[in-house]
Amino acid sequence: MADKIKKIALLTGGGDCPGLNAVIRAVTRTAILKYGYEVIGYKYGYKGLYNNDIVPLDLSSVSGILHKGGTILYSSNKDNLFNYQVEENGEKVYRDVSDVGVENLKKENVDVLVVIGGDGTLTSARDFARKGVKVIAVPKTIDNDLAATEITFGHYSALDVATDALERLHTTAESHHRVMILEVMGRNAGWIALRSGIAGSADVILIPEIPYDIKKIVSKIKSRGEQGRPFTIIVVAEGAKPLGGDVVVQRVVSDSPDPIRLGGIGDKLAHDLEQLISDHEIRCTVLGHLQRGGDTSTYDRILSTRYGVAAVEFIHEGRFGNMVCLNSNKMTFEHLENVIGQIKTVDKGDELVKTARSIGTSFGD
Ligand code: F6P
């Protein structure tokens, strides 16, 4: 058990994700109601830690936020205090200003920093832990691509949106005998495409882990036509690529620690299919940030609450330097040193891939 914990601070970093508010609420409520800790939040992720931009968190400030997407603490996906942009003599330069963060924690008498974020945010959490800061990390990402944990909160909310979109696309596909393509997020992992493809009954699922052969997709479309199903629904992960080809980069955010933003493979696929198919019109919809917005799903409200409560229990037990994980449906923990950079992608032999193949879904291979 950890001695003398009186005050904890929270921050959210990286892209917003459904369930962040639910975690903030669960941490704050458990900390106050069960252990009597004082709770504050840093606004705008690590930037707030640098600027000492704090907000007190109490029961009323976290009231009514369980279901809401986004984060009441705001977020930043650029501000890494170990490589932070500052101005010196009118020039923008990058410096390690992490000591300012450590000093600010001391100034506010913060005993433990709870960091909620994805790989970039967690890397800084590990680096603060190396500097002696007592840290507990909570993983978030709609992509579900962190190896140490089975499911990250936010993933199932994004799946609900993607599944709903696939269902809606069936209407036009069936009425006009079209090929409808839905491009979903997920970076270099195909989890969103795979799961929503199964739930939204896509005929073709294209994921980064299984490069596609466009001729196989054409065969699938044709064979569906021959079977009296003259329309096809394709879900394509933003990180998918053709055999021997490369991912489509939408933009480079140069001041982000993770600068590559994927996007555009859906349009490329539509264009390439149009060259090979004349009897169907083809349309592409890019789902984009709709997957991160709106209310948090029922599943994620429960999962996020479990993550938040577990984070405070691990503080109470003194398990600093760890990230909260879900394994075998139990809340557990893994040291930050072991989790950073460990990306979880879809294994070609994954049971979900086999399941989809068994019901006739094509992976374009
Ligand atoms: O990691 C979450 C995610 O939504 C990815 O699926 C997507 O590639 C990326 O973030 C988009 O980032 P941004 O919000 O910076 O465009």
Side-chain angles (χ1 to χ4, degrees):
M1 192 199 296
D3 288 333
K4 296 189 212 110
I5 300 298
K6 292 197 177 108
K7 188 170 180 179
I8 67 171
L10 285 170
L11 67 80
T12 52
D16 66 298
C17 173
L20 283 169
N21 282 327
V23 176
I24 294 168
R25 171 180 177 268
V27 168
T28 304
R29 288 181 68 91
T30 310
I32 293 172
L33 295 173
K34 192 162 175 193
Y35 294 111
Y37 302 154
E38 189 184 343
V39 188
I40 61 166
Y42 286 104
K43 287 156 86 178
Y44 309 104
Y46 290 111
K47 188 177 180 175
L49 178 58
Y50 180 70
N51 293 322
N52 211 24
D53 191 357
I54 58 174
V55 55
L57 291 174
D58 57 20
L59 298 181
S60 73
S61 46
V62 298
S63 170
I65 65 168
L66 171 64
H67 63 289
K68 286 187 180 161
T71 160
I72 60 164
L73 292 177
Y74 309 106
S75 192
S76 161
N77 60 0
K78 294 185 179 162
D79 300 293
N80 171 9
L81 300 194
F82 294 84
N83 190 28
Y84 194 65
Q85 194 187 75
V86 290
E87 225 173 273
E88 279 177 11
N89 307 321
E91 254 182 66
K92 284 182 179 149
V93 290
Y94 286 86
R95 297 280 180 256
D96 179 349
V97 297
S98 56
D99 283 344
V100 177
V102 176
E103 278 315 304
N104 283 341
L105 288 167
K106 282 188 192 147
K107 229 190 283 172
E108 290 301 323
N109 297 315
V110 171
D111 299 306
V112 184
L113 180 63
V114 179
V115 173
I116 312 167
D119 203 50
T121 308
L122 299 180
T123 303
S124 290
R126 177 204 61 192
D127 295 342
F128 275 113
R130 284 180 180 172
K131 287 177 87 96
V133 174
K134 291 188 174 107
V135 171
I136 290 285
V138 182
K140 69 92 223 184
T141 167
I142 62 164
D143 306 334
N144 194 42
D145 60 352
L146 295 177
T149 189
E150 272 167 19
I151 301 285
T152 47
F153 68 85
H155 182 57
Y156 272 87
S157 299
L159 288 182
D160 284 353
V161 177
T163 302
D164 180 57
L166 285 167
E167 277 170 23
R168 286 170 186 271
L169 289 175
H170 272 82
T171 311
T172 306
E174 289 194 56
S175 305
H176 293 271
H177 293 183
R178 279 185 181 164
V179 174
M180 301 297 282
I181 300 169
L182 180 72
E183 180 183 307
V184 296
M185 285 182 162
R187 293 192 196 260
N188 296 304
W191 296 109
I192 297 178
L194 176 59
R195 289 201 167 97
S196 67
I198 294 172
S201 81
D203 308 298
V204 181
I205 299 175
L206 303 176
I207 57 175
E209 298 84 348
I210 305 179
Y212 64 82
D213 176 349
I214 194 146
K215 292 197 205 93
K216 297 280 169 60
I217 303 173
V218 173
S219 305
K220 176 73 178 174
I221 294 167
K222 292 210 162 128
S223 78
R224 280 180 57 77
E226 284 153 20
Q227 291 156 16
R229 309 287 284 161
F231 65 91
T232 298
I233 302 286
I234 302 176
V235 60
V236 57
E238 62 182 1
K241 47 186 176 298
L243 267 174
D246 215 342
V247 292
V248 181
V249 173
Q250 189 206 42
R251 70 179 68 228
V252 177
V253 185
S254 58
D255 53 351
S256 162
D258 188 6
I260 303 295
R261 297 291 181 276
L262 299 171
I265 186 70
D267 280 325
K268 174 183 160 45
L269 180 64
H271 174 267
D272 292 351
L273 282 172
E274 269 162 7
Q275 315 307 306
L276 303 170
I277 290 177
S278 52
D279 44 357
H280 297 283
E281 283 192 54
I282 302 169
R283 296 285 189 275
C284 170
T285 302
V286 180
L287 201 49
H289 292 83
L290 293 176
Q291 287 157 101
R292 299 208 317 227
D295 283 352
T296 302
S297 70
T298 304
Y299 178 87
D300 277 332
R301 292 180 204 184
I302 297 168
L303 182 61
S304 306
T305 301
R306 291 176 72 194
Y307 266 110
V309 170
V312 179
E313 293 301 345
F314 294 147
I315 291 173
H316 177 67
E317 291 166 15
R319 301 190 188 281
F320 307 118
N322 283 296
M323 184 182 91
V324 186
C325 307
L326 181 81
N327 277 317
S328 304
N329 200 27
K330 289 206 166 47
M331 299 317 301
T332 166
F333 55 88
E334 181 64 57
H335 205 275
L336 277 165
E337 293 290 349
N338 304 330
V339 308
I340 303 306
Q342 305 296 315
I343 296 304
K344 175 179 63 191
T345 53
V346 178
D347 191 287
K348 286 185 191 114
D350 191 281
E351 191 253 346
L352 280 179
V353 175
K354 288 186 188 155
T355 299
R357 286 195 198 278
S358 299
I359 57 166
T361 312
S362 165
F363 284 82
D365 60 338

